[in-house]
Amino acid sequence: DIVMTQTPLSSPVTLGQPASISCRSSQSLVHSDANTYLSWLQQRPGQPPRLLIYKISNRFSGVPDRFSGSGAGTDFTLKISRVEAEDVGVYYCMQASQFPYTFGQGTKLKIK
Amino acid sequence: QVTLRESGPALVKPTQTLTLTCTFSGFSLNTSGMSVSWIRQPPGKALEWLALIDWDDDTYYSTSLKTRLTISRDTSKNQVVLTMTNMDPVDTATYFCARIRAVDIVADFWGQGTLVTVSS
């Protein structure tokens, strides 16, 4: 199984400042079709996960443009350009390039 | 508008079999490229992917849980059913179903989840 490792596990951020979360996979996520199926999900307290980013860098419908994704191969990053209060929650990376799909441990974003 | 809703017992006893149903609308599992997955989350812990069934009725399972899981579908009812045998207190979790869109292999819509507690 592909292991997804996120850092940091907790990230205190000042409102209006940027935030960055890293996700590393134990093997390349490049699929046989040449795509990389790495997505980012946000889970606000008491809510189900919500899709933010798919295939490394594609924002899902309705996701603010302060969220961006980047990376390749085994190293990926989610960036929030200016953190807002509604961004508090846990962020997960998820790989779907190979079965079984796997998630990172989650990164808790909180406001300083 | 895509929606998914999980249903099932809130409490099961150890060694019992859990049966959960995901009822969805806004898409069809008869449509090429559509799949449904189950994912769970123990209280305060991370997400764990469990199983997937696709438009071709192919099924895929978590490596560690595959001997205990069965996923099936009823396309006439727009439902996907997950059974998990030999339940244990460590299986206490919120169980989510999600649509997987094959063209991007992404879990784009999720249900609200259902909390299952395993206790005698």
Side-chain angles (χ1 to χ4, degrees), chain A residues 1 31 35 37 39 41 43 46-51 53-55 60 92 94 96-97 99-106, chain B residues 37 39 41 45-49 52 60-64 96 100-113:
Chain A
D1 295 6
H31 193 272
N35 287 304
Y37 297 107
S39 55
L41 302 129
Q43 188 174 30
Q47 294 294 311
R50 165 199 177 202
L51 176 64
I53 302 283
Y54 63 96
K55 285 200 300 188
F60 189 53
Y92 294 94
M94 173 187 170
S97 289
F99 285 111
Y101 298 167
T102 46
F103 293 91
Q105 324 96 296
Chain B
S37 252
I39 301 103
Q41 184 174 41
K45 295 190 177 179
L47 300 166
E48 178 183 18
W49 182 81
L52 178 146
Y60 304 87
Y61 295 100
S62 157
T63 302
S64 60
F96 298 98
I100 306 291
R101 196 178 69 212
V103 65
D104 297 313
I105 317 184
V106 61
D108 56 357
F109 291 95
W110 293 63
Q112 288 295 311

Side-chain angles (χ1 to χ4, degrees), chain A residues 14 17 25 28 30 34 47-50 53 63 82 92-95 98 107 110 112:
Chain A
T14 303
Q17 293 300 301
S25 57
S28 174
V30 178
Q47 294 294 311
R50 165 199 177 202
I53 302 283
V63 174
R82 294 172 307 279
Y92 294 94
C93 57
M94 173 187 170
Q95 72 79 21
Q98 179 184 123
T107 295
K110 43 193 177 184
K112 276 184 189 173

